Amino acid sequence: MSTITADPRLASMASTRSRRAVRRRRYLGNVGVLVVSVLLVIWTIVPIYNMVLISLEPEGDVFNSHLWPKVPSLESFWGVLTEGHWYLEHFWHQFANSFYMGAMVTILTLLFGSLTSFSIGRMRIRHGWLVSNCALLTYVIPASFLAIPFYRIMQNYGLANNLWSVIAALVAFATPYAIFVFQEYGRSIPIEVDESARIDGASPFQIYRRIYLPLMAPALVAVGTYALLLAWNEFLYQFLLLSSKSSMTVPVALAQFLNSDQSPWNYMMATAIVYAVPPVAIYYAFRRRMTAGLTMGGVKG
């Protein structure tokens, strides 16, 4: 009898120890995740904090030792907004160049990517897989290796120092990724929808405009945001293909700050912060649709 009663007790004690061990491992795992998350947040925020700190310094001292300016000043931001420094004489024109370039790269990438994916995935053109695979192979070659060939091509076509030279290069880099995302997302859209539309007499263009594009909205937002950020932050091709102040974009203009013996760091940081506002706002406005587009979960088959 004693052996029989002891066995349930031993089993109960073993079960309790097992639950404690599981809770301990879970607790340690949560603590580890929390520590890593805090370190990542600090690692991300510190450069941004330094940018804000320098922009609020009246003299733009990069090597200050205090955590906050003794006398914070918004003079540098006011100088950016009013073009009050000689490096900022064309700021709003250059900002407009960046906006125009970003808008055109986004529109053309969405147009070419969606048309190509619709032709390959929905119209089932012959050897369509070859087109998409060859497009993705362009990412095998680093973009920096193609800078000089692009520069020579644009010179031959008379597009040197022209925004459209940069637009053409960036669309060429962004479109293969757009095709890939659209093809993967399009597989979640039942092909029977297209067949029903064809029975009702819809043309391929009507199917593309009235059925395909509306159902692809999350993927369009995701790829469009990617293309915009690519164009907004790209520097190499803008620096190489744009030379005059009237055709420059803000990233290239920011590099001009470094040409002086005594660089106005506070104006440079303030310009960078002002320039970063539109993409940050766009990202937070469309982040949910971006997630749905990239995970291909917005449309159920």
Side-chain angles (χ1 to χ4, degrees):
M1 294 294 291
S2 60
T3 304
I4 296 175
T5 57
D7 288 340
R9 291 179 181 178
L10 291 175
S12 176
M13 292 174 62
S15 176
T16 302
R17 286 196 296 268
S18 177
R19 287 196 297 269
R20 288 177 180 174
V22 170
R23 285 198 296 267
R24 189 180 302 113
R25 286 196 298 268
R26 186 180 304 167
Y27 174 76
L28 292 176
N30 292 336
V31 171
V33 170
L34 179 61
V35 171
V36 172
S37 300
V38 170
L39 291 176
L40 288 175
V41 169
I42 294 174
W43 180 266
T44 304
I45 290 179
V46 165
I48 301 174
Y49 173 76
N50 276 314
M51 287 178 61
V52 176
L53 181 66
I54 296 170
S55 67
L56 295 176
E57 287 280 353
E59 301 297 330
D61 185 8
V62 181
F63 302 102
N64 53 54
S65 58
H66 44 270
L67 295 177
W68 190 253
K70 295 179 181 178
V71 184
S73 173
L74 296 176
E75 176 188 353
S76 56
F77 288 96
W78 181 251
V80 173
L81 298 177
T82 60
E83 300 180 340
H85 191 275
W86 65 278
Y87 272 123
L88 299 166
E89 291 176 346
H90 305 279
F91 171 75
W92 287 113
H93 182 77
Q94 292 160 352
F95 189 92
N97 288 342
S98 294
F99 185 83
Y100 175 76
M101 184 184 65
M104 294 310 300
V105 169
T106 302
I107 292 171
L108 293 176
T109 299
L110 293 179
L111 178 64
F112 297 153
S114 61
L115 284 173
T116 304
S117 63
F118 178 77
S119 301
I120 295 173
R122 316 301 287 188
M123 297 184 66
R124 310 287 179 85
I125 63 171
R126 292 185 60 186
H127 306 299
W129 62 271
L130 185 61
V131 175
S132 58
N133 289 341
C134 287
L136 287 175
L137 282 176
T138 58
Y139 289 132
V140 174
I141 304 174
S144 57
F145 288 5
L146 299 174
I148 300 303
F150 259 107
Y151 179 77
R152 295 192 61 184
I153 291 171
M154 296 308 168
Q155 275 196 326
N156 292 337
Y157 282 98
L159 290 174
N161 196 29
N162 190 312
L163 279 175
W164 277 99
S165 61
V166 183
I167 292 171
L170 296 182
V171 169
F173 295 142
T175 301
Y177 175 74
I179 295 172
F180 172 75
V181 172
F182 290 155
Q183 279 190 287
E184 293 300 315
Y185 192 90
R187 290 174 182 170
S188 62
I189 302 175
I191 195 67
E192 290 79 12
V193 176
D194 297 11
E195 294 172 351
S196 300
R198 289 193 186 95
I199 293 174
D200 293 336
S203 64
F205 178 73
Q206 289 175 324
I207 296 174
Y208 168 78
R209 184 170 63 88
R210 297 183 178 179
I211 297 176
Y212 185 73
L213 289 182
L215 292 176
M216 293 285 289
L220 292 171
V221 171
V223 173
T225 306
Y226 160 77
L228 176 62
L229 295 178
L230 174 68
W232 198 261
N233 297 319
E234 202 279 333
F235 174 76
L236 175 61
Y237 281 82
Q238 297 178 32
F239 175 76
L240 188 65
L241 298 172
L242 304 174
S243 55
S244 66
K245 288 190 175 182
S246 60
S247 64
M248 280 183 186
T249 55
V250 175
V252 182
L254 281 173
Q256 305 301 310
F257 280 80
L258 302 176
N259 292 337
S260 175
D261 294 334
Q262 188 175 1
S263 299
W265 292 103
N266 53 339
Y267 286 105
M268 185 178 182
M269 295 299 106
T271 305
I273 292 172
V274 171
Y275 184 67
V277 171
V280 170
I282 291 172
Y283 170 77
Y284 278 101
F286 296 106
R287 65 185 185 278
R288 291 184 179 178
R289 283 187 173 270
M290 281 184 63
T291 303
L294 292 176
T295 57
M296 291 158 284
V299 177
K300 300 294 182 181

